[in-house]
Amino acid sequence: MSWVSHDLEPYVIQRYMGKKIAFVPLLIGSYAPDLATKWVVYGTGAFGLKVAASDPARFHRGFPGAGFTHSPFFGVVVAGLIYLVTDNKLWALSFMVGQWAHAFTDTLDTLGVMLAFPFSTHIYSIGLWRYTAEAGRLGDAAAYFSGPGFVWDGFWLVLALLGWRVLTKAYFRDVVAPTDPFWGWAGRRLPETALLALYRTSYFFGIARGITWLLWVHVVNSYAFDVSWSGPHWIAGVRNEDLNHGPTSTRLLLLALAISFTCLLMYLRIGGHLSPRRLIRRRLEALETSAGGRADG
Amino acid sequence: MRELGTYAAAGVVYIAIGLMVPAFVLSWVVAAAYLLVAVWLVPAAFRRLAR
């Protein structure tokens, strides 16, 4: 899992997609997989009642459990439901893009996600940083901000800082607010300063808590940095092979690649960067140019 | 620029509270409520008092 990327990715996607995305469902999509699972993974209690998964890793990412919430298929299903209920295609697609960003980001830890669910319950992982949710919130934070995970967050931090214009009042007025009916509804109840604070919350939350955890882990406490692959190695963590029934076969790999490629094509299509009309027009222009060149010659 | 300063000051206080009480920085809802108070309600209250 990732601590800061899920907060910042929506702003980077917003910068790239502009008016082709609605920010609120994009953000909800980015948080959705963990909203449904994290509190059970870490365990929570109220009024003497304790709720915790007996096998947190399997519950979070595997099957049986709630691991399907981290599959791209879940994004498609919920997007379909959103479209049925709201009749708003932009809301549905924006949720789907946000959920996919979360799902693909989580393939990077040692546990990974069920990318090919429901076709397969195999868990795919790239294994860049250690999955350590079983260590509890503080232990998980200590491991994450000591290993390659925080480097990954640093990458998204740089992208988010480069896209700082999405935070400006002008961008909010011109691009974000007109695209999403939520802001019109909220604007009848709150002043613009409050709307801007809500719009900027995840950016603020991601950066401020990232700094807080880095200081807490390495200044208040003294956990050792280990940014080597699959690090940090001073904590056990969970790997996808602990839950899978076998290795990733060629068939399973091709299945995951096909799903990932389909998601990428759909994402580019939604962003208007893969418009069939535009591709045909470009092809025709190229043919006309080459024909004109031959005629001149 | 003044707006950026308000957010930066809110960030510094948020980080300081988080270092003392790590549970404070775990929740998005708490962050949203904190930010609304820090960059909207408190400055609005100050402006009203200054009038």
Side-chain angles (χ1 to χ4, degrees), chain A residues 107-217:
Chain A
T107 59
L108 291 171
D109 64 33
T110 56
L111 182 55
V113 302
M114 296 189 291
L115 264 186
F117 185 87
F119 307 109
S120 165
T121 56
H122 188 80
I123 303 176
Y124 297 82
S125 158
I126 291 169
L128 178 55
W129 63 82
R130 202 150 286 217
Y131 177 92
T132 56
E134 305 201 321
R137 282 188 195 274
L138 298 184
D140 195 14
Y144 185 81
F145 286 96
S146 299
F150 102 90
V151 179
W152 173 252
D153 279 352
F155 166 71
W156 282 99
L157 176 65
V158 170
L159 290 183
L161 290 174
L162 289 172
W164 62 272
R165 279 190 177 82
V166 298
L167 297 177
T168 60
K169 201 178 287 181
Y171 188 92
F172 179 76
R173 282 178 182 166
D174 297 342
V175 180
V176 177
T179 314
D180 189 342
F182 167 81
W183 298 109
W185 174 84
R188 288 191 288 277
R189 289 155 180 83
L190 294 168
E192 192 182 44
T193 312
L195 298 185
L196 279 165
L198 286 175
Y199 168 61
R200 293 164 178 163
T201 290
S202 291
Y203 199 97
F204 173 87
F205 184 51
I207 294 177
R209 78 166 173 159
I211 295 169
T212 308
W213 284 119
L214 265 179
L215 293 172
W216 186 85
V217 172

Side-chain angles (χ1 to χ4, degrees), chain A residues 3 7 27 31 137-138 169 190-191 193-198 200-202 204-205 207-209 211-213 215-216 220, chain B residues 3 7-8 10-12 14-19 22-29 31-36 39-40 47:
Chain A
W3 283 67
D7 304 316
L27 189 71
Y31 287 138
R137 282 188 195 274
L138 298 184
K169 201 178 287 181
L190 294 168
T193 312
L195 298 185
L196 279 165
L198 286 175
R200 293 164 178 163
T201 290
S202 291
F204 173 87
F205 184 51
I207 294 177
R209 78 166 173 159
I211 295 169
T212 308
W213 284 119
L215 293 172
W216 186 85
V220 177
Chain B
E3 194 181 22
Y7 275 86
V12 170
Y14 182 84
I15 291 167
I17 298 171
L19 288 173
F24 184 74
V25 295
L26 288 173
S27 165
W28 185 94
V29 176
Y34 169 82
L35 203 56
L36 282 174
V39 306
W40 170 42
R47 274 196 301 274

